[in-house]
Amino acid sequence: MKVKINRNAAKALKKMMEQEEAQGKLFRVYVTSIHGDHAHYDLRLDTPTENDEVVKTDKEIDFILDKNDEYLDGVWIQLFHVPKEEWLITNPSKGGHHHHHH
């Protein structure tokens, strides 16, 4: 499974992982809802179970994905600072819709 992340998002998540409550945890990408051909995603700190795969990215951050959820494969996590700060989590390989995540 694959996860892509942009530099702003990696920087922000690294900062969160330095907090005490994040010790020993990784960020899980999960599906919050599915609409027809595309899904909405979110992130939370979690620990992997035997149903999960820990996926490495090129930005030194690992993510937990449920290996039975095909909607997670190829997810792209981005953080933009302009025009306003916003997270955007999409999966270009599963319906090319861009959904804004607040």
Side-chain angles (χ1 to χ4, degrees):
M1 294 187 100
K2 289 214 290 281
V3 177
K4 267 174 37 177
I5 180 169
N6 79 357
R7 198 179 304 130
N8 288 341
K11 213 181 284 183
L13 293 179
K14 267 186 198 154
K15 214 172 268 177
M16 291 178 212
M17 293 184 92
E18 286 160 12
Q19 311 295 318
E20 213 167 297
E21 63 270 20
Q23 292 306 303
K25 294 191 173 174
L26 296 172
F27 278 100
R28 172 185 295 281
V29 188
Y30 63 99
V31 172
T32 54
S33 60
I34 292 176
H35 294 274
D37 62 346
H38 65 274
H40 291 243
Y41 304 91
D42 209 345
L43 292 171
R44 67 169 184 262
L45 282 163
D46 205 357
T47 47
T49 70
E50 65 273 11
N51 298 322
D52 296 320
E53 187 178 325
V54 174
V55 178
K56 293 188 180 313
T57 68
D58 61 354
K59 302 278 190 299
E60 295 167 29
I61 290 194
D62 298 343
F63 289 95
I64 305 169
L65 301 184
D66 179 335
K67 57 183 174 217
N68 301 313
D69 195 334
E70 67 189 56
Y71 278 96
L72 295 170
D73 191 16
V75 79
W76 194 17
I77 300 161
Q78 299 170 86
L79 171 61
F80 298 100
H81 293 303
V82 179
K84 61 186 196 310
E85 179 157 315
E86 73 176 331
W87 288 86
L88 184 61
I89 305 178
T90 56
N91 192 332
S93 67
K94 301 279 184 287
H97 298 283
H98 279 284
H99 280 276
H100 290 274
H101 169 88
H102 303 287

